[in-house]
Amino acid sequence: MKRVLIVGAGMTGSLCAALLRKVSGTLYLAVWDKAGDSGGRMTTASSPHNPLCTADLGAQYVTCTPHYAKKHQIFYDELLAHGILKPLTSPIEGMMMKEGDCNFVAPQGISSVVKHYLKQSGAEVYLRHCVTQINLRNGKWEVFKETGSPEQFDLVVLTIPVPQILQLQGDFANLISECQRQQLESVSYSSRYALGLFYEAGTKIDVPWAGQYITSNPCIRFVSIDNKKRNIESSEIGPSLVIHTTVPFGVTHLEHSIKDVQELILQQLENILPGLPQPVAIKCQKWRHSQDGEKEEKGRATTVMGIYIVPGLGLDESKILSHLLSKEVL
Ligand SMILES: Cc1cc2nc3c(=O)[nH]c(=O)nc-3n(C[C@H](O)[C@H](O)[C@H](O)COP(=O)(O)OP(=O)(O)OC[C@H]3O[C@@H](n4cnc5c(N)ncnc54)[C@H](O)[C@@H]3O)c2cc1C
């Protein structure tokens, strides 16, 4: 039985796992992620006081353009049929909509999309497994993690952001050609922070929108009443608020302490939404590798022997990917 390791339990890794399972039911499939939960940049955080009070700190909604609607209709149909995605119906002020675009939200939180594919794949998911080194040993890939013994695989799929791929040590680093390295090094990412504010049940946040893009503040770019955005308002679960900073703010404060950054964002929030109630919990998330270089990231899929480097593919090119992998795997 072939052993396949997918590094990264985000959108790309989970979909790769589900697609691989479709092409071969007998594979041993493992997914390793360094984080404590699956989701990656599609993460959903919970209030420490109530796990049902959640907030999407990364991706907010999934946009289906007419092009992708044609190309990936089966993915959307399946996610809609399972209730994982629902059309976005709440008002998002300042949102750029192109003709024919359709936006979807995930009522159970955006990470539920990733969890759905992981479950479908039947892969063994190992969290807090940070890959550090990949060596070639007797024709197999020996993969090292921060703690514990290395393991051997026939095929490795890297879905982690490019700068993290370039940090990997071992034979893998020497096997990347100069041209591949240059291509990977040209991938750029922006950085920003996200803040999740969690409130007690019954708290009222009285605004006419579910989300708002802000253009007049140097720190804050986007605010959403996350439960309202997802149409899951309830009298038993408190509301949650999500704030995304601007990229210039994120870049300037990238190495500052989370506590200081959180304080600065909260001060600016007071200018935008004065008199907000006091949250019961706050989570501040640094996105060192945020989404803006996404298109660049997608163009950089490449292969080094049995290692597939597919950062940021997400739903895109998934059919090609499954084809590519099935040849190797079957
Ligand atoms: C603030 C923000 C807002 C966004 N908004 C939207 C939106 O509204 N709509 C949209 O479609 N997209 C949005 N995006 C982009 C979207 O989230 C990403 O394109 C998508 O989630 C990328 O998925 P991925 O699996 O390719 O990468 P990731 O989600 O980054 O997954 C990579 C995984 O690899 C893990 N990892 C990294 N290094 C290692 C290692 N050495 N060993 C093991 N594991 C490792 C990470 O922990 C992570 O879980 C947003 C992103 C951000 C940050």
Side-chain angles (χ1 to χ4, degrees):
M1 191 200 301
K2 284 216 176 178
R3 285 170 57 84
V4 179
L5 173 66
I6 294 170
V7 186
M11 185 63 225
T12 308
S14 64
L15 190 64
C16 278
L19 291 169
L20 274 173
R21 177 59 71 217
K22 275 196 185 137
V23 295
S24 171
T26 55
L27 278 180
Y28 170 77
L29 254 182
V31 180
W32 290 6
D33 199 293
K34 67 175 184 175
D37 196 5
S38 54
R41 282 172 276 169
M42 286 192 161
T43 192
T44 304
S46 301
S47 165
H49 300 275
N50 181 358
L52 297 176
C53 179
T54 56
D56 291 334
L57 294 183
Q60 296 296 300
Y61 44 81
V62 176
T63 304
C64 177
T65 62
H67 171 71
Y68 286 126
K70 245 194 244 161
K71 211 172 154 197
H72 298 137
Q73 194 59 51
I74 49 163
F75 295 117
Y76 293 110
D77 286 349
E78 199 227 352
L79 292 170
L80 287 163
H82 282 88
I84 309 283
L85 289 183
K86 291 250 162 84
L88 166 68
T89 52
S90 326
I92 310 283
E93 288 184 359
M95 185 177 186
M96 304 258 264
M97 281 287 282
K98 292 201 189 108
E99 210 185 314
D101 279 3
C102 210
N103 291 300
F104 301 106
V105 284
Q108 299 132 69
I110 200 79
S111 71
S112 64
V113 181
V114 171
K115 290 179 200 298
H116 169 77
Y117 285 125
L118 286 176
K119 191 170 167 206
Q120 201 176 65
S121 75
E124 293 195 11
V125 181
Y126 295 92
L127 301 170
R128 298 190 181 84
H129 273 44
C130 181
V131 173
T132 53
Q133 203 182 122
I134 306 180
N135 285 327
L136 200 51
R137 200 183 171 94
N138 304 325
K140 299 213 185 271
W141 293 105
E142 189 170 45
V143 185
F144 290 72
K145 46 194 181 315
E146 253 171 17
T147 53
S149 318
E151 285 183 40
Q152 291 197 349
F153 295 91
D154 298 287
L155 203 88
V156 178
V157 183
L158 297 177
T159 73
I160 66 185
V162 173
Q164 284 155 345
I165 292 176
L166 291 170
Q167 275 167 20
L168 295 174
Q169 305 286 310
D171 297 336
F172 165 72
N174 304 324
L175 287 167
I176 301 181
S177 71
E178 197 43 43
C179 172
Q180 284 172 319
R181 184 173 292 279
Q182 275 174 14
Q183 275 203 335
L184 290 169
E185 279 170 351
S186 70
V187 177
S188 64
Y189 291 83
S190 58
S191 304
R192 63 175 86 225
Y193 283 87
L195 211 61
L197 307 185
F198 304 96
Y199 294 89
E200 260 173 353
T203 310
K204 293 264 173 290
I205 300 175
D206 199 13
V207 289
W209 39 263
Q212 195 181 44
Y213 284 91
I214 289 151
T215 49
S216 55
N217 188 282
C219 166
I220 295 178
R221 172 70 183 118
F222 177 77
V223 182
S224 98
I225 317 297
D226 206 57
N227 54 311
K228 196 166 166 183
K229 176 199 82 188
R230 291 186 273 143
N231 259 327
I232 51 160
E233 286 166 282
S234 146
S235 57
E236 279 138 50
I237 305 164
S240 58
L241 214 104
V242 169
I243 298 112
H244 283 172
T245 72
T246 61
V247 171
F249 178 90
V251 172
T252 307
H253 297 86
L254 198 56
E255 307 307 339
H256 293 196
S257 85
I258 288 278
K259 197 165 160 269
D260 292 351
V261 172
Q262 178 174 311
E263 202 41 51
L264 287 172
I265 303 171
L266 287 173
Q267 278 168 17
Q268 290 294 330
L269 185 65
E270 179 61 22
N271 297 330
I272 293 168
L273 291 174
L276 268 179
Q278 200 57 32
V280 283
I282 301 179
K283 165 127 180 118
C284 186
Q285 167 86 44
K286 184 198 294 191
W287 293 116
R288 187 180 287 277
H289 307 298
S290 186
Q291 80 274 39
D292 291 14
E294 199 185 358
K295 284 201 178 65
E296 283 297 297
E297 197 182 15
K298 277 178 188 149
R300 301 294 183 251
T302 184
T303 317
V304 176
M305 294 162 76
I307 298 195
Y308 286 88
I309 303 172
V310 293
L313 275 180
L315 280 180
D316 284 348
E317 318 305 339
S318 46
K319 282 188 184 153
I320 299 169
L321 187 65
S322 71
H323 176 69
L324 196 82
L325 291 171
S326 65
K327 272 195 192 158
E328 186 79 31
V329 170
L330 290 173

